[in-house]
Amino acid sequence: MKNILFLCVLSLASFGYGQSTIQGIVTDAETGNNLSYVNIYLPHLEKGTTTNASGEFELQNIPPGSHTLVCSFIGYETKSINLKLPLTENLSISLIPSAIEMEAVIISTPFHKLQSDNVMKVERKTVSELRASGSVTLADGITNIAGVESVSTGLSINKPVIRGLSSNRVLVYTQGVRLENQQFGSEHGLGLSDAGVESVEVIKGPASLLYGSDALGGVLYINPERFANANEQSGDINLNYFSNTEGYNTSLGYKSSGENFKFLFRGSLAAHSDYETSDYRVTNTRFKEQDFKAGMGYQSTKFKTEFRYNVNHSKLGIPEEIGMQTTDKNPLLPYQDITNHVFSSKSKLFFNNSKLEINLGYIYNARQEFEDEHHHEEHHDDEEDHEEDHDEHVAEEPALNMKLKTANYDIKYHLPKTGRFETIVGVQGMHQTNTNYGEEELIPNATTNDLGVFAMSHIHFENFDLQLGARYDNRWLNIENSESLTYNSFNGALGFKTNLFEKITFRLNVASGFRAPNLAELTSDGIHHGTNRYEIGNSNLTYEQNLQTDLALEYKSEHVELFANGFYNLVNDYIYLEPDGTLIDGEPVFNYVQNDAYLYGGEIGFHFHPHPLDWLHFESSFESVTGKLNSGSYLPLIPANSINNTIRVEFDTKSMKSGYAFVKLQSTFSQNNVSNFETPTSSYNLLSAGIGSTIQLFKKDLFISITGTNLTDKNYISHLSRLKPDGIFNMGRNFSVGLTYNL
């Protein structure tokens, strides 16, 4: 086969000790043409630029030492280049053009490598990809990632599920810090807006080595939008409309960067009515959300820092029964009123061949639930009467009023590279207080402290890579009017990656994880309206400990990609809810109990883009997970097996750039492997389609997308819907229109 070379010539000049400038020109050796708008990025510095019309670029004020330079451009393989500055010699780098999507640097793993270089398999999707699928919320969008589902209460309350594990077994990171928003509650959602988010990364499996307790099942890592490149500025306005809920979400953002200082901000609003099935609207699934994000940063040769702030306020209706049929967007009683503040800072100190990374976070979560009795009148058509009815039943005081305050820190020292070794040592911790101010106390006042120390290394050999590490964690819980509790655990991980043949990559990872029982599991004593049950905690619970083996095979050629991922997960002392057959205040009583468990399954799939029709893509994937207790019964809330088949075309014309169109069929199998208190769920097929492209309007880019989901208006119930016991269907047909205009 004819060799195709892509030449990137870098001229590196040192400007004295302590700073360097990287200059270069990017050309295509096949055509000899210079390439403009190529992305040039230094992931550890989070600093980048693009080539100009002549294919040239320049990065200034780069500290000495080892760096990774990433070149990416549509139609070419992404290339990762290891540099040691200061240097003066030219570097010639050959890249192969490819129809496969560009690779990105993985941020959720500490060595910040391309996925093809990572020992641990990490799934990644951009928010633009999730929106193109027709998702209404961020939590809804992540279900488009292989191996990820969500336990839902309507559209607004969703809890991520990774390979059958959810709740506190899945840790969420946002703005580089651990998100704590009372996610220990069964009816508490993700609580994040997709506005100002660049991408989502998913670690499927134990990540306790990297993140400590609560990462036993995996990590959902939310990457915020990047700052503008040096000496650049940009702004955009985004609007999305959803026909099913007659809802919208809109955002406005602006960012600007000088050579040293940079800042950004983004505000967004969202409001949705009750979602509609082919038969009825599901009363009180309506919600409203306001979100604001801001950030500022400073970067010099030896030091970089950034500070980000996010405040999210939402009112979320809690559905109970089918009643009033309106398109009002003001939640009825009962509803949640939640305000979440996230303060974060990320700093790096650069030494000659090493660096110190310090991430600090403070999260303030105020959660109120208004639960006064109310009555719905079926098919209430008079809008004025409806408004009077709603105002008449507004609760003056919240029945539940909790404030969760969390300070956390994450300090890592990247040792100097020595031969084949890259090594990181670190310490992480958290101080958290939960305080009640309402008349109800489902969760008592409590203080939680975490402390963990760890070390890990990535070892590069000629034909394979090895990653290993160990960690010790300790958690202290001080609960009001109760004894103090302590949990500690040692955990480790070992990973191996090699190319079996030229085009086949093999990964094997074995890792242990642990999770201390959360406050809800230890102390719950009350009705949870989002789940329609009375929950009773168990203070004698011990921590969960697991061991998971992951195997991944990937084949990549010029026109075909195949993958097969399998896992087997042993969980000792798995904590779950079990009914005892009694009622309190008319609600069934569930108790927290423990038993050993195991889960297994995986994902397989392929991607085919035939030659010479590189614009045509066929994609198919199959997902499966089975979870059982050692006693033989099945675990609750395990997603059904599913197959996704997609046909996608991509096009580029003078008037329409980066265009695409797709048709997708999601086939979900019946779920008959249910726990003792669940019922089976029938199979269903969902058809969706979409089209999008960028056009020029007043010499600026306008991106337009139209997506339709559940096009056949199928009545179905997801096995992970908390409305399933009441026989309430999931959302019916929906058309969404998205507009993004660059200012």
Side-chain angles (χ1 to χ4, degrees):
M1 187 177 80
K2 170 180 171 181
N3 290 330
I4 302 174
L5 295 178
F6 175 92
L7 186 62
C8 176
V9 180
L10 301 176
S11 299
L12 299 167
S14 173
F15 283 77
Y17 178 80
Q19 66 176 2
S20 297
T21 296
I22 302 176
Q23 296 173 318
I25 182 170
V26 180
T27 62
D28 186 328
E30 186 182 67
T31 63
N33 295 331
N34 296 344
L35 295 176
S36 56
Y37 303 112
V38 177
N39 294 306
I40 309 297
Y41 191 60
L42 294 165
H44 287 285
L45 292 176
E46 299 177 47
K47 186 172 185 175
T49 187
T50 57
T51 57
N52 60 20
S54 301
E56 299 169 339
F57 71 90
E58 181 177 274
L59 289 167
Q60 297 180 346
N61 298 326
I62 310 301
S66 299
H67 295 279
T68 300
L69 183 72
V70 176
C71 302
S72 61
F73 190 53
I74 295 175
Y76 296 86
E77 283 188 4
T78 302
K79 185 69 175 181
S80 177
I81 309 158
N82 293 319
L83 302 176
K84 190 169 184 179
L85 303 182
L87 294 174
T88 56
E89 69 272 18
N90 295 334
L91 299 177
S92 296
I93 302 149
S94 62
L95 298 174
I96 301 174
S98 173
I100 299 172
E101 288 82 358
M102 291 189 304
E103 276 194 278
V105 175
I106 300 300
I107 304 300
S108 56
T109 52
F111 296 104
H112 291 188
K113 298 182 180 297
L114 294 176
Q115 178 57 72
S116 58
D117 299 324
N118 236 24
V119 173
M120 184 182 296
K121 181 68 182 291
V122 179
E123 301 287 349
R124 181 185 183 275
K125 289 282 187 182
T126 64
V127 162
S128 59
E129 290 175 307
L130 302 183
R131 286 176 177 167
S133 68
S135 59
V136 179
T137 63
L138 179 62
D140 177 38
I142 63 173
T143 61
N144 291 280
I145 300 174
V148 182
E149 295 289 342
S150 71
V151 178
S152 64
T153 307
L155 289 176
S156 62
I157 303 175
N158 293 267
K159 299 185 75 66
V161 178
I162 299 179
R163 287 177 168 175
L165 296 178
S166 59
S167 190
N168 269 86
R169 299 180 184 94
V170 174
L171 189 61
V172 178
Y173 257 61
T174 181
Q175 298 178 189
V177 298
R178 173 186 181 128
L179 177 67
E180 292 288 320
N181 63 350
Q182 303 193 23
Q183 69 275 15
F184 45 71
S186 300
E187 72 282 16
H188 299 174
L190 187 61
L192 292 173
S193 168
D194 65 0
V197 172
E198 179 183 293
S199 63
V200 178
E201 296 175 13
V202 179
I203 300 176
K204 296 183 290 189
S208 293
L209 173 63
L210 302 176
Y211 298 105
S213 178
D214 301 350
L216 177 144
V219 173
L220 191 66
Y221 200 96
I222 314 296
N223 289 313
E225 66 177 307
R226 295 180 185 175
F227 289 96
N229 290 331
N231 302 312
E232 294 182 9
Q233 60 183 0
S234 64
D236 65 81
I237 184 169
N238 176 267
L239 174 64
N240 295 274
Y241 174 77
F242 303 88
S243 66
N244 186 285
T245 62
E246 298 187 13
Y248 64 86
N249 61 46
T250 183
S251 72
L252 173 66
Y254 177 78
K255 52 187 174 183
S256 178
S257 296
E259 194 59 48
N260 299 111
F261 289 96
K262 49 193 174 183
F263 74 90
L264 58 77
F265 69 83
R266 182 171 298 276
S268 67
L269 298 171
H272 292 266
S273 305
D274 298 334
Y275 76 76
E276 189 174 21
T277 71
S278 63
D279 295 338
Y280 49 76
R281 288 193 179 274
V282 180
T283 309
N284 212 25
T285 53
R286 63 196 72 173
F287 63 96
K288 290 183 171 183
E289 180 184 57
Q290 299 91 40
D291 188 88
F292 178 76
K293 294 181 173 75
M296 60 182 297
Y298 173 80
Q299 185 159 357
S300 65
T301 304
K302 306 286 284 185
F303 174 71
K304 75 174 292 291
T305 188
E306 68 178 55
F307 174 81
R308 292 183 187 254
Y309 170 65
N310 174 214
V311 57
N312 183 282
H313 175 248
S314 55
K315 283 189 175 183
L316 315 174
I318 301 176
E320 294 185 316
E321 59 186 13
I322 303 302
M324 185 179 299
Q325 299 289 289
T326 79
T327 56
D328 185 21
K329 295 177 174 60
N330 293 309
L332 298 165
L333 297 166
Y335 68 87
Q336 300 175 353
D337 189 311
I338 305 167
T339 303
N340 200 55
H341 302 267
V342 180
F343 302 84
S344 65
S345 73
K346 296 172 61 179
S347 301
K348 290 182 181 178
L349 291 167
F350 297 95
F351 309 107
N352 284 341
N353 290 297
S354 64
K355 59 179 173 288
L356 180 66
E357 185 176 350
I358 303 173
N359 295 342
L360 304 175
Y362 179 77
I363 297 91
Y364 177 83
N365 178 266
R367 179 179 297 272
Q368 298 179 331
E369 293 187 8
F370 296 85
E371 302 171 358
D372 284 7
E373 292 296 322
H374 62 286
H375 302 281
H376 298 312
E377 295 179 21
E378 298 232 6
H379 305 285
H380 201 332
D381 296 321
D382 190 313
E383 195 67 23
E384 291 183 5
D385 289 347
H386 162 61
E387 289 295 334
E388 292 174 5
D389 180 76
H390 174 72
D391 292 339
E392 192 175 73
H393 294 91
V394 171
E396 294 183 359
E397 296 292 335
L400 185 70
N401 188 358
M402 293 193 296
K403 291 181 172 58
L404 190 72
K405 303 173 184 178
T406 308
N408 51 48
Y409 57 90
D410 180 357
I411 302 172
K412 299 186 184 80
Y413 179 60
H414 298 247
L415 277 69
K417 290 183 181 179
T418 54
R420 304 179 185 272
F421 285 80
E422 291 181 77
T423 301
I424 297 173
V425 295
V427 58
Q428 294 169 336
M430 176 180 77
H431 175 75
Q432 182 178 90
T433 59
N434 181 69
T435 310
N436 286 274
Y437 296 91
E439 60 184 66
E440 289 187 15
E441 288 194 12
L442 296 182
I443 309 296
N445 298 339
T447 301
T448 304
N449 285 284
D450 277 359
L451 177 63
V453 293
F454 68 95
M456 64 185 309
S457 291
H458 188 127
I459 310 170
H460 304 269
F461 294 94
E462 186 174 348
N463 297 316
F464 66 91
D465 286 84
L466 193 67
Q467 188 168 294
L468 52 89
R471 178 182 180 118
Y472 172 76
D473 281 278
N474 204 96
R475 168 168 287 188
W476 300 270
L477 269 172
N478 293 311
I479 303 172
E480 189 174 74
N481 300 321
S482 180
E483 60 180 327
S484 298
L485 301 171
T486 302
Y487 307 93
N488 55 73
S489 178
F490 281 99
N491 290 281
L494 177 65
F496 172 84
K497 181 188 82 73
T498 187
N499 293 325
L500 294 180
F501 302 99
E502 182 182 355
K503 297 177 181 178
I504 298 179
T505 301
F506 171 83
R507 290 181 175 89
L508 177 65
N509 284 273
V510 180
S512 66
F514 96 106
R515 183 183 73 89
N518 61 47
L519 288 174
E521 294 163 338
L522 291 166
T523 65
S524 280
D525 189 10
I527 296 174
H528 288 247
H529 290 272
T531 57
N532 297 320
R533 63 192 179 207
Y534 194 105
E535 296 181 5
I536 298 178
N538 181 355
S539 62
N540 295 318
L541 296 173
T542 187
Y543 65 87
E544 297 176 339
Q545 183 78 54
N546 80 325
L547 180 67
Q548 179 167 318
T549 301
D550 285 274
L551 179 67
L553 281 170
E554 297 174 32
Y555 170 83
K556 283 189 178 183
S557 68
E558 190 174 356
H559 300 288
V560 178
E561 298 173 68
L562 301 170
F563 69 88
N565 307 321
F567 74 95
Y568 189 85
N569 189 5
L570 289 171
V571 187
N572 293 326
D573 297 311
Y574 182 89
I575 301 171
Y576 61 101
L577 278 166
E578 187 174 71
D580 64 11
T582 64
L583 298 175
I584 296 180
D585 295 335
E587 301 289 352
V589 176
F590 281 70
N591 296 281
Y592 283 99
V593 295
Q594 284 186 299
N595 201 336
D596 292 344
Y598 58 95
L599 301 96
Y600 59 90
E603 308 86 33
I604 59 174
F606 76 92
H607 179 188
F608 176 52
H609 34 91
H611 180 75
L613 308 178
D614 290 337
W615 48 267
L616 180 62
H617 300 259
F618 299 92
E619 299 177 29
S620 183
S621 64
F622 171 72
E623 304 173 24
S624 175
V625 60
T626 300
K628 300 184 73 174
L629 296 169
N630 279 6
S631 61
S633 59
Y634 289 97
L635 294 178
L637 295 175
I638 298 297
N641 297 343
S642 65
I643 293 179
N644 291 284
N645 294 291
T646 304
I647 299 175
R648 190 175 83 252
V649 297
E650 298 171 348
F651 53 90
D652 241 324
T653 67
K654 288 185 178 180
S655 58
M656 303 177 71
K657 298 188 301 182
S658 304
Y660 70 87
F662 74 89
V663 177
K664 177 181 177 181
L665 179 64
Q666 177 186 336
S667 300
T668 301
F669 295 84
S670 58
Q671 178 57 292
N672 297 312
N673 299 331
V674 297
S675 71
N676 295 331
F677 60 89
E678 289 182 311
T679 56
T681 306
S682 300
S683 62
Y684 53 88
N685 296 289
L686 301 178
L687 181 67
S688 59
I691 187 169
S693 182
T694 299
I695 64 173
Q696 286 281 305
L697 181 65
F698 305 120
K699 299 183 179 180
K700 299 287 187 177
D701 284 345
L702 172 65
F703 175 74
I704 305 173
S705 66
I706 302 173
T707 305
T709 57
N710 193 4
L711 291 174
T712 62
D713 209 16
K714 173 75 173 178
N715 277 339
Y716 74 99
I717 301 177
S718 166
H719 187 68
L720 300 187
S721 171
R722 293 201 179 276
L723 305 182
K724 177 176 178 282
D726 297 317
I728 297 175
F729 298 128
N730 285 71
M731 187 169 71
R733 181 188 297 117
N734 178 55
F735 290 99
S736 60
V737 179
L739 302 172
T740 300
Y741 186 65
N742 293 331
L743 303 174

